[in-house]
Amino acid sequence: GTQISSMFLYAINLRKIDFDNFDTSEWTITSLNGLFNNCYKLQKLDFTGIDTSNWTITNMSSTFSKCYALQEINFADVDTTKWYQTATRKDSCYYGCTSLETLDLSFRNLEGSNISTINSEFSSCASLKKLILGDINTSNWALDYNVNAISSVFSYCHSLEELDFSKVDLSGMSQTLIYQLTAPFSYCFNLKRIIFGPKMIVSDLKFSTFDSVFNNCVSLEEVNFEQLGEIHCQGTATSGWMGLLFNFSCKLKELKFPKIYIETSSSGRMGSYIFRYSCMLEKIDFSDVDNELCTDFRGDCIPSNVAYRLKEFRFPKYVGTNSGGTWFANMYQLEEIYPPENGFANVNISFISTSTENYPNMLSAASVHRIIQALPQATGTKTCTLGAAKRKLTAEDLAIAVEKGWTI
């Protein structure tokens, strides 16, 4: 077949391409890899009228990568059916198209495609405000095993305000492979809303990492995780499989995690600084997270010293003996704490730093009662630090704590 990969690679002064005299009817193109890569000054690409009926594209890696001045890509009236039914690689396809504001891919039906990687496909499209996706069916996708095949897809898309995945069907994703999901939306500064459609529900989707997913999404207001169904984690990273997950997600007010099953025994923690600088959060709910095999839920998993507005917190099902640190330092608005379903571990625990004992404490008497009830029988003398909330401890609950071997 005709090969046009990298045909215009590093044509750094190219501003316009006129395809009117291109007779492509006999072309049997199989790869667009790097076709316009590093065409820094190219402003427009119009594929209207090009005969692509014989094109069976398998590789679209870096096709438009680093076309910094590119403002428009017109695929209207172009038969791209075979492009996407046969494509396997789309990594960095539009990477660094910093002037592209709108991209209409509604024509792109990925049903039957054999995608192996979409890593960084739209990354660093800093001006992209609107992305229109067509039907995406993953029934034949074969994403690379345990690699960053779906990482950084939209990272550094500074201007994106909304992503609508309502037409994306993930039911065909492999239930035997383990995927890495790192920073797909990281540094999308203006992203306010992400829509996960009903077809994205997957019964047994496995991840080895789920970290920095919404890192520095400073405008993010809503994430409905519940639409994702169940997520299975088989990661072993010692820094935590969802570290920095919502780092600097400054406008989020409420967050409920989906049903997450951690299936690999690991010495690692659930995640470091999951909510660091997410200072508007009022409710956090981990109660559907089954972390029996990864019980390290230490203080830095919670937005200590930054979530001044936090009013309600629900723990995951397990908290292990390695879960140290102060969980809720300087959280003066915290009213309700719901302990782990399986109780606390046999280790000293602190809900508020001792330096705050003289500060007003909003923790309810019901929360104090729930904490006492969740304390295990102590081996030796153990301490539970409640700060000023100790004043709400009833004589009955104090007696229960003492009987269990705890000092409050």
Side-chain angles (χ1 to χ4, degrees), residues 223-278:
V223 179
N224 192 345
F225 264 151
E226 294 175 275
Q227 291 177 317
L228 290 180
E230 298 177 1
I231 295 176
H232 294 248
C233 174
Q234 296 193 354
T236 59
T238 57
S239 60
W241 70 278
M242 57 179 175
L244 298 175
L245 181 61
F246 289 98
N247 183 42
F248 276 103
S249 296
C250 302
K251 292 190 177 181
L252 270 179
K253 292 185 177 181
E254 186 170 338
L255 192 59
K256 178 175 174 56
F257 283 80
K259 292 181 179 179
I260 298 176
Y261 298 91
I262 301 178
E263 300 178 339
T264 303
S265 182
S266 170
S267 59
R269 68 189 74 173
M270 280 185 60
S272 299
Y273 307 113
I274 299 173
F275 308 101
R276 189 172 64 171
Y277 304 122
S278 299

Side-chain angles (χ1 to χ4, degrees), residues 143-179:
L143 292 173
D144 290 344
Y145 175 77
N146 213 8
V147 297
N148 289 319
I150 48 179
S151 294
S152 303
V153 182
F154 301 98
S155 63
Y156 296 94
C157 288
H158 300 324
S159 301
L160 269 179
E161 294 187 2
E162 179 177 291
L163 280 169
D164 185 351
F165 296 110
S166 58
K167 293 184 178 181
V168 177
D169 184 354
L170 293 183
S171 61
M173 297 281 277
S174 172
Q175 296 185 359
T176 59
L177 299 184
I178 306 172
Y179 304 109

Side-chain angles (χ1 to χ4, degrees), residues 265-297:
S265 182
S266 170
S267 59
R269 68 189 74 173
M270 280 185 60
S272 299
Y273 307 113
I274 299 173
F275 308 101
R276 189 172 64 171
Y277 304 122
S278 299
C279 51
M280 300 294 286
L281 275 168
E282 296 181 1
K283 292 184 179 181
I284 301 173
D285 187 349
F286 278 103
S287 59
D288 284 336
V289 177
D290 189 338
N291 61 321
E292 184 177 5
L293 296 179
C294 182
T295 59
D296 187 342
F297 193 80

